[in-house]
Amino acid sequence: SSCLALAPARRCLHKATALPCASPGSAPPCSSCEQRHARVVVIGAGLSGLSAAQHLLGHGFRHTLVLEATDRYGGRINSQRFGDTFCELGAKWVRIDGSQDSVYELLRNSEGLGKQIKQPGRPHYVQAEQEGLPGIRPATVDLVDTLFRQLCRGFRLSETVKRGGDLHALDNVMSYFQAESDRILAASFQQPEEQQAAREIFQSLFKEFSSVLGSCLEYVNIKHIAQCPVEQELRPLYVPTGLDNVLEEMTQQLDENQLQTGKPVGQIQWTPAQQKSVGCLDGSLYRADHIICTLPLGVLKTFAGELFRPTLPLDKLQAIRNLGFGNPLKIYLSYKKPIGRWLRGNLRPLGALLNPLTADQKRAERSWTQQVVEISQVPSSQYVLEVHVGGGYYEEIEKLPEDKLLNQITELLKRCITTRAIPYPEGLLRSNWSTSACYLGGRPFFSTSSSARDVQSLAAPLGEQAPALLFAGDATALRGFGTMDAARSSGIREAQRIIDYYKHGSGNNG
């Protein structure tokens, strides 16, 4: 299970100099000798792993080691310099949430780091020009948007339950969206043209929802809306200079012996107690008293069978199999001249623009551009566009030759903007989460075969007396499931589990 090397990013530790360890006075006094000497190995230096390590070090666990398979830390927080700005290949938006273990708190405590609030703006929906038909009315856009947000909050779902409706008939999010939107369209829009426009806007919003999870909505369990609403924050924060700046402070406490990159793990021996260890593919072996595993769900799905010794319990393996794992995709294009000259607002193509007819009036062959949700200017840039893409096609887009992708997106722009000349892009930046062996995808979701119980099974620690093998990551917490907040809070949760074990005087048993 070797791991492909990823392209180096700004956050790289190959030539890092050893940072001074926090002075002994900065940590609370150790409650026991065992705590002071407890060896904790954290697998993965994403937000979850770094949060766990930071929390442990802050409580006097000096023998904490983080092993990272790739040559950079940060996991799915990955900011890249591109054009005249920084672009996020992974997580971007930060919810305003006052919880102690939220990413917002981390951001708030990062001194001197510039933060901006996303400015709300009505998207500019574009239909293929048809003689004599008026454009889409702003009131229609606002009404559909409001109704769709209610669907995302599970508003209609609770109504269906109250009416004694059959939830099994709505076993996936797409069937729920389609059934409810059909009902809404019939009740709210009388004119056929307006009804068609509203239907196309609904379809665009469904694709936007799927772009967040990185999956076709037919695969997403209705419980995802009922238990973990994917309601997008209306005014989230972003960091114009790159979200990965928030990681700087977290890694300050770790010297080069405590955070090691380029260390893909090959075997995790989690019992018996005397043999607990983590073996890397380069032959190095690290003895441990506690192991915190923050491997991405995609990696666990592929390698869980051979990574762990002994094999994981059946309920945990079943949970790993059941949970869905999507692949949100990011595409950025850079231009030579300011794009404000020809692009106005956030462009959302609808209907025939995405599915054009060929000269003989037949439907064009299927293309990934049918999944485009929105084309917009990156807020902190004059020269860079972001292309938002809905569920499906992701692996195909990651592997598409650069010139083909640029040609196809330029053709779509020309169909949408007929009054100005559209230039050809200078550069392309795209994410590759699903084809990278160290991630094999990007974001967990409730698949039609999974439930909250699977999240709890995956998060449950293993070990007879002491917590030997612990699991953290965005797939192991129900609050904020699949988000940065779940990654951070679960890392802190598992670190605290180890701290509590020693605090309660159990160190002598392990």
Side-chain angles (χ1 to χ4, degrees):
S1 58
S2 62
C3 187
L4 300 179
L6 297 186
R10 288 194 302 152
R11 304 284 171 253
C12 193
L13 281 186
H14 276 318
K15 300 183 178 68
T17 52
L19 299 167
C21 286
S23 62
S26 65
C30 292
S31 58
S32 70
C33 190
E34 286 95 339
Q35 174 181 327
R36 202 163 43 244
H37 295 293
R39 298 162 299 181
V40 184
V41 175
V42 180
I43 301 168
L47 185 58
S48 188
L50 292 177
S51 297
Q54 184 187 37
H55 197 63
L56 286 164
L57 287 166
H59 285 79
F61 286 77
R62 302 309 308 163
H63 295 281
T64 298
L65 166 68
V66 184
L67 299 174
E68 167 57 40
T70 71
D71 59 4
R72 63 167 195 92
Y73 56 85
R76 285 196 298 113
I77 295 178
N78 186 358
S79 314
Q80 297 276 345
R81 180 94 214 187
F82 182 64
D84 61 340
T85 188
F86 287 98
C87 294
E88 303 295 350
L89 289 179
K92 178 175 184 175
W93 304 111
V94 178
R95 283 178 69 92
I96 296 175
D97 175 352
S99 311
Q100 279 298 302
D101 54 3
S102 70
V103 177
Y104 174 66
E105 278 300 298
L106 194 61
L107 203 56
R108 224 163 58 98
N109 296 327
S110 299
E111 290 178 22
L113 185 59
K115 302 168 268 285
Q116 287 187 20
I117 291 180
K118 181 185 183 183
Q119 294 307 310
R122 183 187 287 122
H124 176 45
Y125 286 101
V126 190
Q127 289 177 301
E129 287 181 11
Q130 288 176 277
E131 287 299 315
L133 281 184
I136 296 171
R137 295 188 311 122
T140 303
V141 174
D142 292 343
L143 178 58
V144 173
D145 192 66
T146 301
L147 293 167
F148 180 68
R149 284 184 186 282
Q150 290 180 350
L151 294 187
C152 290
R153 284 201 300 271
F155 178 76
R156 301 278 171 181
L157 207 54
S158 52
E159 293 295 310
T160 306
V161 174
K162 277 182 205 159
R163 289 198 307 266
D166 179 16
L167 273 184
H168 289 291
L170 304 175
D171 71 335
N172 68 71
V173 168
M174 196 59 181
S175 62
Y176 162 64
F177 279 172
Q178 290 286 16
E180 291 300 333
S181 63
D182 285 348
R183 217 160 55 79
I184 289 167
L185 287 165
S188 308
F189 302 95
Q190 308 312 316
Q191 298 300 320
E193 302 86 38
E194 205 166 46
Q195 206 174 79
Q196 181 58 26
R199 177 173 278 107
E200 289 181 0
I201 293 169
F202 263 123
Q203 295 296 335
S204 178
L205 293 169
F206 299 164
K207 281 193 294 192
E208 182 182 23
F209 188 99
S210 72
S211 75
V212 175
L213 297 177
S215 168
C216 295
L217 296 182
E218 285 84 357
Y219 302 141
V220 182
N221 197 323
I222 197 71
K223 289 175 182 168
H224 199 118
I225 282 183
Q227 292 170 333
C228 309
V230 186
E231 204 188 343
Q232 288 179 290
E233 180 94 20
L234 282 173
R235 304 197 69 183
L237 294 172
Y238 68 97
V239 181
T241 54
L243 183 58
D244 60 357
N245 283 286
V246 302
L247 305 168
E248 287 296 324
E249 201 174 311
M250 301 177 75
T251 54
Q252 287 300 311
Q253 293 166 288
L254 295 158
D255 64 33
E256 63 183 2
N257 295 316
Q258 291 170 313
L259 173 53
Q260 297 189 22
T261 56
K263 287 280 184 182
V265 166
Q267 191 167 65
I268 300 164
Q269 179 83 39
W270 57 275
T271 193
Q274 302 75 26
Q275 293 174 22
K276 284 199 291 268
S277 62
V278 176
C280 293
L281 294 179
D282 63 4
S284 50
L285 188 74
Y286 300 91
R287 298 272 173 216
D289 298 300
H290 311 278
I291 301 163
I292 300 179
C293 174
T294 74
L295 289 171
L297 183 59
V299 173
L300 289 175
K301 278 180 174 291
T302 309
F303 298 122
E306 56 245 41
L307 261 182
F308 298 93
R309 291 287 174 271
T311 308
L312 294 176
L314 273 177
D315 64 333
K316 203 174 279 287
L317 287 172
Q318 193 64 48
I320 291 167
R321 260 197 301 274
N322 287 350
L323 289 166
F325 202 48
N327 179 36
L329 182 76
K330 299 291 181 80
I331 301 175
Y332 297 94
L333 309 177
S334 67
Y335 291 84
K336 193 171 185 178
K337 293 180 179 173
I339 53 185
R341 295 178 178 186
W342 49 270
L343 182 72
R344 299 273 188 273
N346 299 350
L347 192 71
R348 292 200 171 202
L350 297 176
L353 287 172
L354 294 169
N355 302 290
L357 295 172
T358 54
D360 57 0
Q361 295 298 297
K362 289 181 180 168
R363 282 268 168 246
E365 63 183 77
R366 119 196 203 297
S367 163
W368 71 270
T369 54
Q370 291 165 9
Q371 292 295 327
V372 169
V373 177
E374 184 175 281
I375 300 166
S376 58
Q377 188 170 341
V378 173
S380 51
S381 166
Q382 287 191 68
Y383 302 93
V384 179
L385 273 187
E386 182 172 2
V387 182
H388 301 255
V389 185
Y393 294 87
Y394 291 134
E395 282 198 46
E396 183 182 315
I397 300 169
E398 286 184 8
K399 294 171 181 172
L400 204 63
E402 189 167 315
D403 57 341
K404 195 169 181 182
L405 191 147
L406 293 176
N407 286 337
Q408 289 175 338
I409 202 69
T410 302
E411 285 305 311
L412 175 60
L413 280 166
K414 285 177 179 174
R415 290 199 296 275
C416 295
I417 304 170
T418 55
T419 54
R420 294 182 182 85
I422 306 300
Y424 195 76
E426 264 198 329
L428 167 71
L429 176 69
R430 57 183 154 172
S431 57
N432 66 339
W433 301 111
S434 77
T435 48
S436 161
C438 297
Y439 297 95
L440 299 172
R443 173 172 173 156
F445 62 86
F446 285 135
S447 70
T448 48
S449 58
S450 66
S451 68
R453 193 181 296 120
D454 292 310
V455 178
Q456 288 152 353
S457 296
L458 180 56
L462 299 175
E464 286 178 19
Q465 292 151 325
L469 177 60
L470 308 93
F471 288 82
D474 59 1
T476 69
L478 280 171
R479 185 169 67 87
F481 179 69
T483 68
M484 284 190 288
D485 282 336
R488 177 154 171 77
S489 67
S490 64
I492 293 169
R493 177 195 71 210
E494 296 311 309
Q496 189 61 45
R497 198 189 298 275
I498 294 170
I499 293 161
D500 290 345
Y501 169 73
Y502 288 95
K503 195 187 285 177
H504 298 144
S506 305
N508 298 323
N509 303 329

